[in-house]
Amino acid sequence: MNYQEVKNIILSELQNKLPKHLSYHSVSHIEDVINAAREIGEAEGLSEEDLVLLETAALFHDTGFLYGSKDHEEKSCEIAQEYLPSHGYSQEKIDQIKGMIMATKIPQSPTNHFEEILADADLDYLGRDDFFSIGNKLYEELAMFGIISSERDWNLLQERFLENHHYFTKTAIENRAAKKAENLAIIKSKI
């Protein structure tokens, strides 16, 4: 599996072709999820080969935004299917990667440990100190799409989302749940 080669190609594609109005679903989000996936995967005891699969899924998980936000996970799977065979990935590995990509669809419903790790990595920021700065990027994006129209709408949406969200892996629960609860309390204080 030639991950580094495919990573260079995909990040370059995203850098050049992702719509500039995507303030949240950007290359920096993809890189953040790749880093979080590796961090959680290492803590969860994955082998180096398994970490490469996980990072590959993180790399591709939002590539579907090249074609719009609707059903972007399915489109991301199609893009992975298109690129990965020529970079040394077997169909079995590609299917595993596609399962991980689909596990990031909201509401998240992972069916195995790999999928749980990527689902947690995708929303890792909910339990971090940079929650509000990253959240502001999502606010801008959702406002641009007309999904929310005021800060109050945003805070109510965030409150509902955080209350309904839960981490799946032992690592994310131990490292992120407490800070996520703090972030939720701050949001509630604004409503």
Side-chain angles (χ1 to χ4, degrees), residues 105-122:
K105 190 178 183 99
I106 306 295
Q108 295 177 325
S109 51
T111 61
N112 62 44
H113 196 214
F114 286 95
E115 293 175 10
E116 289 175 348
I117 294 170
L118 190 61
D120 284 354
D122 192 28

Side-chain angles (χ1 to χ4, degrees), residues 5-71:
E5 188 177 285
V6 81
K7 181 181 180 185
N8 293 341
I9 293 166
I10 294 301
L11 289 181
S12 173
E13 285 275 306
L14 293 169
Q15 198 75 57
N16 294 322
K17 295 182 180 168
L18 266 181
K20 297 301 173 222
H21 61 257
L22 294 177
S23 47
Y24 174 80
H25 290 100
S26 63
V27 170
S28 66
H29 168 67
I30 303 250
E31 291 172 331
D32 184 55
V33 175
I34 291 169
N35 293 336
R38 173 161 277 274
E39 205 173 280
I40 297 167
E42 284 176 347
E44 293 282 311
L46 263 53
S47 69
E48 191 55 42
E49 183 181 339
D50 288 343
L51 288 168
V52 169
L53 283 182
L54 191 60
E55 287 179 289
T56 304
L59 171 67
F60 279 91
H61 87 282
D62 276 344
T63 52
F65 273 94
L66 289 165
Y67 301 94
S69 61
K70 186 175 172 13
D71 298 327

Side-chain angles (χ1 to χ4, degrees), residues 56-146:
T56 304
L59 171 67
F60 279 91
H61 87 282
D62 276 344
T63 52
F65 273 94
L66 289 165
Y67 301 94
S69 61
K70 186 175 172 13
D71 298 327
H72 72 271
E73 296 90 357
E74 287 85 350
K75 194 67 190 160
S76 296
C77 288
E78 291 172 22
I79 296 167
Q81 184 64 60
E82 180 187 331
Y83 277 89
L84 292 176
S86 61
H87 290 90
Y89 289 76
S90 69
Q91 190 57 52
E92 182 187 348
K93 301 290 186 201
I94 294 168
D95 290 342
Q96 201 175 352
I97 287 164
K98 293 194 297 194
M100 286 186 263
I101 291 169
M102 291 309 296
T104 65
K105 190 178 183 99
I106 306 295
Q108 295 177 325
S109 51
T111 61
N112 62 44
H113 196 214
F114 286 95
E115 293 175 10
E116 289 175 348
I117 294 170
L118 190 61
D120 284 354
D122 192 28
L123 296 175
D124 187 62
Y125 84 99
L126 297 179
R128 293 193 325 225
D129 291 333
D130 58 356
F131 169 74
F132 289 99
S133 61
I134 291 176
N136 287 340
K137 293 176 184 177
L138 185 56
Y139 171 80
E140 289 170 23
E141 193 173 300
L142 294 177
M144 189 274 309
F145 281 122

